[in-house]
Amino acid sequence: MAAPVVGAAARPRSVVHYIPPPGACTGPRERPRARRRSALHASHGTPPVLPAAGPAPAAPVPPRRRAGDEDQDGGTLRAVTDGLTRMASVSLLLGAVTSTDELAEVVVEHGLPALGARGGVVGVLDRRAAVLRLLRGTGPVPAGREVLALDDPLPMVEVATTGVPSLLRPADVARRLDGQGEEMHSWAGDGSWACSPMRAGGDLLGSVAATWAPGHEVGDREVGLLQVFTTLVAQTYERLQGEAEQRRQALAVRQMSETLQRSLLTQPDVQAAVTIAVRYVPAVKEAQIGGDWYDAFVSEDGVLTLAIGDISGHDRMAAAAMGQVRNLLRGMAYDSGSSPARLLTRLDAALRGLQLDTLATALVARLEQDEDGRRRGVRRLVWSGAGHLPALVRSPDGQVRVLDEPADLMLGVDPTTSRHERVVEVADGSTVLLYTDGLVERRDVSLDTCVRRLQERVAAVGDLPPERVCDALLAGMDPDEHRDDLALLVVRLDPS
């Protein structure tokens, strides 16, 4: 059979007939095509396989990587990852610091080693004094130079005041310190230095400087980690400064309020045959004053009146209400000769009538003595309580009695409530103790148990003078448990 003729005018074509190799597997879709090909071959013969028009374009060959490139890239990535991991650990430590001393400790013992630095220091700006104060440093840092003037040639001063970071190679360090004396060169050393500004809220707070050992090539990785570290240090320092300012403001408020309260709680001026000691102690928590109060005075009829109370609340409003309630009671008691129960009833009505919207507990007592009592050396303690804790009486033989008869309703709830009085004879030489709940109340302990513990402490102090009794009772308090202010009134009945 003659070969196909290719016309002169026609473009040459390559015709490639597919002939499956022997043993080739054809699927269901391939079988019809294979049968057609077999029929074509049988009728025309096997056509020649002509070469393709031209070679297929070669696929691009990627550039050959030099040996060690992959190891180098992987090592760099691992180094950066390790550095950021170390910074994350340092961040947790910085979040727990509570003072600049602790901040400096974390910087020296954890931050600088995480940077791979051999030394460094943190400097914080004191704009009022126009200096840069250096916190505790390590390595080649200027010994004995904790305060730097803002015109000092050290790079960290310039960085702290301009906010422009600095990276100095050994030659740069030598040039910057030229003419500054041997001492400066000795601590600067032969390594590279990097300084990064501390910023917070757009304000410059200082700078962090780090130095590396001679021969250590300081690059972008070290500088980047230093910037991350400096940001963490700046945030921590700003937090510490904010907390310190809050404490200063709270202390100022507390001092002002405490001064007001103490001005209202005057020292008793009593001429009767008694010795009196008083204490007022604000709560340990700053800016937490309350409405605890005491009073002791001789009324017009010559009887010693004792009072103690606690206004609800822990703020200046409570302190102001305390002053009003105390003065109301004193005015009512001085010239009326009213009994304690009658005084509390009148006081409760006055609170309602004068629209003093407050709740309060109180205990009012009178120490009365007639001729028979004077001969026998005893006095009558007449008292009435409005929701207040019971008084304690220590007799000369050391026995301590809790006057725990049920108290009536607290003040400010119902001025029409009935109030009652109790009477007990107290021998000369006895000690009467009035107090507020701040002296005894403790978390997770019942109030009855707290009062019983106070009873044991009063028995343990013996026959100390009232001033020393106060000191002994306050000295036995746990500061962590002292969450409320307290008032304390101790009266020793001297022989008349």
Side-chain angles (χ1 to χ4, degrees):
M1 178 178 177
V5 178
V6 179
R11 293 183 179 178
R13 293 187 303 168
S14 297
V15 180
V16 180
H17 294 275
Y18 170 76
I19 302 176
C25 179
T26 57
R29 298 183 60 184
E30 289 296 325
R31 291 193 188 102
R33 296 179 183 177
R35 285 195 294 269
R36 287 196 297 271
R37 293 190 192 103
S38 299
L40 179 63
H41 295 165
S43 60
H44 296 288
T46 302
V49 179
L50 301 180
V61 179
R64 179 170 299 180
R65 296 175 61 87
R66 293 177 298 175
D69 282 355
E70 293 184 4
D71 292 341
Q72 181 178 354
D73 291 347
T76 301
L77 180 59
R78 282 193 298 273
V80 172
T81 303
D82 291 346
L84 292 177
T85 301
R86 292 193 297 270
M87 283 298 107
S89 300
V90 172
S91 176
L92 293 177
L93 295 173
L94 289 174
V97 304
T98 58
S99 66
T100 54
D101 289 339
E102 293 181 5
L103 170 62
E105 181 179 348
V106 172
V107 169
V108 169
E109 298 184 3
H110 301 277
L112 295 174
L115 295 171
R118 65 165 177 165
V121 67
V122 177
V124 295
L125 282 171
D126 183 346
R127 296 192 180 278
R128 180 175 300 179
V131 295
L132 185 73
R133 300 188 183 277
L134 303 186
L135 305 183
R136 172 190 168 195
T138 184
V141 295
R145 300 189 63 193
E146 291 79 14
V147 179
L148 303 176
L150 296 187
D151 58 354
D152 195 286
L154 289 179
M156 66 179 305
V157 177
E158 180 180 341
V159 172
T161 54
T162 64
V164 179
S166 175
L167 173 59
L168 301 176
R169 311 293 182 186
D172 301 326
V173 175
R175 186 167 52 254
R176 285 288 299 267
L177 300 181
D178 186 33
Q180 299 301 323
E182 185 63 27
E183 177 193 4
M184 297 290 287
H185 286 275
S186 64
W187 73 257
D190 299 325
S192 297
W193 279 83
C195 302
S196 182
M198 292 168 52
R199 294 181 182 274
D203 296 328
L204 285 170
L205 304 180
S207 63
V208 177
T211 180
W212 286 262
H216 182 95
E217 185 66 25
V218 178
D220 293 342
R221 181 173 66 87
E222 288 84 357
V223 172
L225 284 177
L226 177 61
Q227 291 174 345
V228 172
F229 177 59
T230 303
T231 299
L232 296 175
V233 173
Q235 292 172 347
T236 303
Y237 183 71
E238 182 188 36
R239 172 176 62 80
L240 294 176
Q241 292 297 98
E243 292 172 354
E245 180 60 27
Q246 289 178 353
R247 286 193 296 271
R248 283 192 291 268
Q249 293 178 1
L251 181 60
V253 172
R254 174 176 176 170
Q255 290 174 339
M256 177 183 66
S257 301
E258 187 176 338
T259 299
L260 168 65
Q261 186 142 4
R262 291 190 185 281
S263 69
L264 297 172
L265 297 176
T266 55
Q267 188 74 16
D269 182 17
V270 176
Q271 304 299 322
V274 294
T275 303
I276 297 179
V278 293
R279 294 289 189 276
Y280 172 76
V281 182
V284 170
K285 187 175 180 181
E286 291 182 356
Q288 286 289 305
I289 65 165
D292 290 19
W293 55 277
Y294 57 78
D295 205 354
F297 57 92
V298 176
S299 58
E300 191 176 44
D301 58 3
V303 175
L304 176 63
T305 300
L306 307 174
I308 197 158
D310 185 358
I311 305 296
S312 63
H314 296 88
D315 52 24
R316 282 172 289 180
M317 297 299 294
M322 175 274 294
Q324 292 176 303
V325 172
R326 179 177 181 267
N327 289 337
L328 273 173
L329 180 62
R330 172 176 275 225
M332 292 175 179
Y334 177 72
D335 61 356
S336 67
S338 297
S339 66
R342 177 59 182 158
L343 284 174
L344 288 175
T345 298
R346 293 178 61 196
L347 178 61
D348 209 359
L351 295 180
R352 174 69 62 87
L354 296 175
Q355 298 182 355
L356 296 180
D357 187 16
T358 188
L359 298 175
T361 66
L363 188 150
V364 179
R366 283 166 56 97
L367 274 172
E368 302 173 348
Q369 189 176 45
D370 55 17
E371 287 299 326
D372 178 63
R374 189 171 290 107
R375 287 194 302 269
R376 294 189 296 118
V378 297
R379 305 180 209 194
R380 296 174 68 248
L381 180 66
V382 184
W383 83 95
S384 180
H388 202 80
L389 294 172
L392 273 65
V393 176
R394 183 187 186 278
S395 61
D397 62 4
Q399 297 295 316
V400 179
R401 177 180 175 183
V402 179
L403 305 183
D404 55 358
E405 285 78 1
D408 297 324
L409 188 65
M410 68 187 305
L411 301 172
V413 178
D414 180 10
T416 64
T417 188
S418 298
R419 300 198 177 276
H420 307 85
E421 287 177 352
R422 280 84 179 178
V423 182
V424 63
E425 281 194 343
V426 182
D428 288 347
S430 298
T431 301
V432 178
L433 182 77
L434 308 182
Y435 56 94
T436 58
D437 56 0
L439 181 67
V440 296
E441 201 168 35
R442 299 295 178 264
R443 290 178 298 177
D444 304 324
V445 181
S446 70
L447 197 55
D448 288 342
T449 300
C450 293
V451 173
R452 187 175 67 251
R453 291 178 179 177
L454 177 62
Q455 181 183 14
E456 295 169 354
R457 289 163 58 196
V458 172
V461 299
D463 57 354
L464 293 175
E467 289 288 344
R468 294 183 61 186
V469 170
C470 290
D471 293 339
L473 295 179
L474 296 179
M477 296 182 61
D478 183 356
D480 293 334
E481 295 287 349
H482 184 197
R483 297 176 174 270
D484 197 2
D485 59 336
L486 68 89
L488 178 60
L489 174 63
V490 179
V491 182
R492 173 68 51 77
L493 279 59
D494 302 325
S496 55

